Amino acid sequence: MTLETVSSWRSHGGTQGVYRHASSETHTDMTFSVFVPDHLPEGRLPIVWYLSGLTCNHSNVTEKGEYRAACAELGLIFIAPDTSPRGDNVPDDEAYDFGQGAGFYVDATQDPWSANFRMRSYIEKELPALIAANFPADMSRQAIMGHSMGGHGALTIALRNPDRFKSVSAFAPISAPLHCPWGEKALGGYLGPNRDDWREYDACALIEDGARVAEILVDQGGGDNFLETQLKPHLLSRACDDAGIALTLRMEPVYDHSYYFISSFMADHLRWHAARLI
């Protein structure tokens, strides 16, 4: 797969790059960012995947996430994909919570979305192969994290692939998409009306159906205006308690849903992941 370098910058003793390639899954060009700390020429570094939320692309966390200093210190590659396929020929919706910018990390089965909206396969299969071929990545040491819709993506991808990821964390994740307006709209639109087909894209349902990871770290802002209607971390807490999964749910008073919140706890999450990627 041909990889185009869009930009490359020196930062915190490493290289922050933005890259573009033609995706065989989404049938569009896809753009993503990668930070690689300085390392020995033959060295291979562990990876942290970061999945962004509604309306975002790779640039939001790249510009606002404040992760580079911690990644350089800890020796972590940080990868930030886009949230959906994009382009003039890609179907879209006028609402912010569906269509371009809102791929929900699913493989859509409904027209017209099914031709391009294959973010599950893109994140789980295509992009990892591209990373392995082009970056000094130790694919045996991978962690995943995300925010909001991306927190939903990180949790569900980790639960479906427990042998791939050594750790998973999230900032304000959509914990139970089957039971919130964002999730019902996205899963119904991309997957159709059969709610049984939605369960593999809901962290709580996956846990109820037997999926397991050893532990999960979640930070949630107490001042988040989406907390009660969309995020519902109490449902994730209940599912983890019932399944014996060690969930650390930290309610952070006053913090909201923004990157001011995310950047405040980013280094904590990266250190938590680094300790599990040894």
Side-chain angles (χ1 to χ4, degrees), residues 45-56:
L45 302 178
I47 305 165
V48 175
W49 296 84
Y50 178 90
L51 305 185
S52 295
L54 286 167
T55 76
C56 293

Side-chain angles (χ1 to χ4, degrees), residues 165-183:
F165 297 101
K166 292 185 176 295
S167 54
V168 56
S169 74
F171 300 103
I174 302 172
S175 296
L178 271 75
H179 303 289
C180 75
W182 280 341

Side-chain angles (χ1 to χ4, degrees), residues 55-74:
T55 76
C56 293
N57 59 27
H58 72 279
S59 66
N60 297 78
V61 69
T62 304
E63 296 171 3
K64 303 175 186 177
E66 299 183 24
Y67 56 83
R68 279 174 286 270
C71 285
E73 172 194 341
L74 299 167

Side-chain angles (χ1 to χ4, degrees), residues 167-216:
S167 54
V168 56
S169 74
F171 300 103
I174 302 172
S175 296
L178 271 75
H179 303 289
C180 75
W182 280 341
E184 291 183 340
K185 180 177 182 177
L187 298 180
Y190 293 134
L191 304 176
N194 186 349
R195 295 176 70 92
D196 287 343
D197 295 337
W198 304 4
R199 295 185 67 82
E200 60 186 315
Y201 297 109
D202 180 300
C204 294
L206 281 165
I207 292 169
E208 291 169 4
D209 292 345
R212 295 291 182 268
V213 293
E215 55 185 331
I216 299 170

Side-chain angles (χ1 to χ4, degrees), residues 96 173-176 179-183 226-232:
Y96 77 94
I174 302 172
S175 296
H179 303 289
C180 75
W182 280 341
F226 301 117
L227 176 58
E228 299 299 329
T229 58
Q230 303 283 11
L231 306 178
K232 303 188 177 183

Side-chain angles (χ1 to χ4, degrees), residues 102-164:
F104 240 78
Y105 304 100
V106 306
D107 281 352
T109 60
Q110 304 299 299
D111 292 334
W113 314 101
S114 57
N116 305 108
F117 281 71
R118 295 186 52 79
M119 291 303 296
R120 172 182 178 173
S121 290
Y122 179 72
I123 298 296
E124 291 187 354
K125 299 175 183 177
E126 185 177 11
L127 190 54
L130 190 68
I131 295 297
N134 290 277
F135 296 91
D138 182 350
M139 303 305 287
S140 70
R141 292 188 291 165
Q142 299 185 60
I144 191 166
M145 63 194 300
H147 169 235
S148 194
M149 180 185 72
H152 139 77
L155 292 172
T156 55
I157 290 170
L159 285 161
R160 291 194 303 262
N161 299 275
D163 295 335
R164 174 180 163 192

